[in-house]
Amino acid sequence: MDFLRPASWEEALAAKAEHPTAVPIAGGTDVMVEINFDHRRPEYLMDLNRIGDLREWETGADTVRLGASVPYTQIMENLRAELPGLALASHTVASPQIRNRGGVGGNLGTASPAGDAHPALLASGGEIEVESVRGRRMIPIDEFYLGVKRNAMEQDELIRAVHLPKATGPQQFSKVGTRNAMVIAVCAFGIALHPETKTVRTGIGSAAPTPVRAKEAETFLAAALEEGGHWESGAPIPVSVAKQFAQLASGACNPIDDVRGSAKYRRHAVGIMARRTLGWVWESYRGDGRTAQGGAQCA
Ligand SMILES: Cc1cc2nc3c(=O)[nH]c(=O)nc-3n(C[C@H](O)[C@H](O)[C@H](O)COP(=O)(O)OP(=O)(O)OC[C@H]3O[C@@H](n4cnc5c(N)ncnc54)[C@H](O)[C@@H]3O)c2cc1C
C-alpha cells in the first residue's frame, strides 16, 4: 500500500486524478477500522491531514461553510447556535476520542445509513461541495445518498466542505441505541423548523437503505401548522396532528431486521422519536423561537 501525503488541496486533487482508487483518510475512524479488519486493502491511501483548510469553518450571514474534516467536537463547541441539529447529533457520535478525530466529511464519505450526521443534514438542508481537477460542483444533500454506503461522488472527486443554512428555527435530533454512548444507531431522527418559509424538514437514519426524509410527514405538518395559524400564534400542536405526523414518519421507513434491531421495532421507534422531537422543537418555538432546547436523547 502506498501512502500519499498531499500538502495542499490542489496536490490532493491532482493525486486523486492520477490515482482514482486512492482512499482518502481524514480522521481515519472508519477507514482504519476497515483496514484493520482487512475489509479493505487499498493500493493507495491518501492522507488529507496536511490540508488545514479542511478543518476550518466560516460563518456567513445566512450559511455556514463547514470544512470536510472539522471534528465533531468543534461543531459541538463552536457551532451550537448556527447548526443546533448537527451539534446535537455530533454529541451522540461514539466517544470523545472519536469525536476529536471524526467529522462530517468522513460520515458523508462512508455514507452509512446509520451515520449520525445524516438526519441532521437532511433536516437542515444544504449542499456538499465536491471538487476534482475537472472542477467544483455542489450536490444538494437530498441527492447525495444513492444506496447502502453509496454516494453521488465521482471517483476522482473529494469533499471540500458542507454548506448549511444557519438555523432560523429550532432543531432536534434523537437516536435510539443499545446504550448511551459508543453506539451505532438502531435508528435516528432529526427535525428542523424553518419558520421563514413555514416549512418543516426531517431526516431518518438507519431505517432504510439510505438516510431519508419523511416528506409526507413534513408536508402534512406544514399544512396543519399553516391551517391552524400555529406559526403566528405558537399555540400547542393538537395531539391528533402530532400522532399523524408520527405515523407518516414511521411510514417513510423501509428498514431491515438486523443484529441491532428488527424492522418492526425501527418503524415504531421512528414514530416515537418523530413525536417527541416535534414536541421539543415546538416548545422551543413557543419559547424564544430559535434555540435547540434539551439534548439529543439516546435510549
Ligand atoms: C468506535 C467507533 C465508534 C463510532 N461511532 C459512531 C457513531 O456513534 N455515529 C457515527 O455516525 N459514526 C460512528 N463511527 C464512525 C466514524 O467515526 C464516523 O463515520 C466519522 O464521521 C468518520 O469520519 P473520519 O474523518 O474519521 O472519516 P475517515 O475514516 O477518515 O473516512 C471515512 C470515509 O470517508 C472518506 N473521506 C474522508 N474524508 C473525505 C473527503 N474530504 N473527501 C472524500 N472522501 C473522504 C474516506 O475515504 C472513507 O471512505 C464510529 C467509529 C468508531 C471507530
Side-chain angles (χ1 to χ4, degrees):
M1 187 189 306
D2 280 355
F3 197 60
L4 308 171
R5 290 200 75 209
S8 68
W9 181 248
E10 289 67 30
E11 268 185 46
L13 294 181
K16 192 72 171 119
E18 194 180 343
H19 308 290
T21 58
V23 172
I25 178 165
T29 61
D30 277 326
V31 172
M32 288 314 298
V33 173
E34 290 183 337
I35 291 175
N36 285 342
F37 280 100
D38 226 2
H39 293 160
R40 204 173 203 185
R41 187 80 14 210
E43 202 183 342
Y44 296 97
L45 205 54
M46 186 164 76
D47 179 13
L48 299 176
N49 285 287
R50 288 171 78 193
I51 308 168
D53 174 45
L54 294 179
R55 283 191 303 278
E56 286 168 13
W57 66 90
E58 285 161 40
T59 309
D62 301 317
T63 57
V64 176
R65 181 180 182 277
L66 184 71
S69 303
V70 174
Y72 292 113
T73 306
Q74 297 286 341
I75 299 172
M76 288 158 55
E77 289 176 0
N78 299 294
L79 293 165
R80 192 167 280 273
E82 294 85 355
L83 310 174
L86 187 60
L88 290 170
S90 301
H91 193 78
T92 75
V93 174
S95 61
Q97 294 87 343
I98 300 289
R99 292 197 288 269
N100 284 338
R101 295 288 309 168
V104 173
N107 221 228
L108 289 164
T110 299
S112 158
D116 286 324
H118 311 313
L121 297 179
L122 285 168
S124 121
E127 293 176 315
I128 318 302
E129 179 185 339
V130 300
E131 199 170 344
S132 71
V133 290
R134 296 174 294 112
R136 189 183 80 122
R137 67 186 177 119
M138 304 293 278
I139 308 177
I141 187 67
D142 289 1
E143 295 168 20
F144 191 77
Y145 309 107
L146 298 186
V148 179
K149 297 198 172 180
R150 278 199 309 117
N151 62 37
M153 286 169 64
E154 300 294 337
Q155 249 206 336
D156 62 346
E157 287 178 324
L158 293 171
I159 303 171
R160 188 161 198 180
V162 181
H163 297 245
L164 298 166
K166 283 163 90 171
T168 55
Q171 303 183 349
Q172 270 293 351
F173 176 82
S174 181
K175 168 175 171 180
V176 173
T178 46
R179 57 184 181 180
N180 219 7
M182 283 294 281
V183 71
I184 301 175
V186 174
C187 51
F189 191 82
I191 183 169
L193 299 184
H194 300 271
E196 76 293 0
T197 49
K198 296 187 178 171
T199 53
V200 178
R201 286 180 62 114
T202 60
I204 299 175
S206 214
T210 64
V212 289
R213 283 170 65 194
K215 287 189 182 168
E216 262 190 76
E218 295 172 6
T219 309
F220 162 77
L221 180 60
L225 294 177
E226 175 78 46
E227 223 173 270
H230 291 271
W231 291 110
E232 291 76 21
S233 69
I237 294 177
V239 173
S240 59
V241 170
K243 216 168 158 182
Q244 178 74 2
F245 174 71
Q247 264 171 19
L248 290 168
S250 197
C253 302
N254 181 16
I256 53 165
D257 294 328
D258 68 12
V259 286
R260 297 201 304 278
S262 68
K264 192 175 170 197
Y265 175 74
R266 285 186 157 106
R267 267 196 209 95
H268 171 75
V270 164
I272 301 284
M273 288 190 290
R275 196 165 164 174
R276 273 190 201 158
T277 53
L278 172 59
W280 296 334
V281 286
W282 196 252
E283 270 313 300
S284 184
Y285 183 73
R286 280 155 54 79
D288 64 18
R290 282 210 39 130
T291 39
Q293 290 178 348
Q297 308 288 310
C298 287

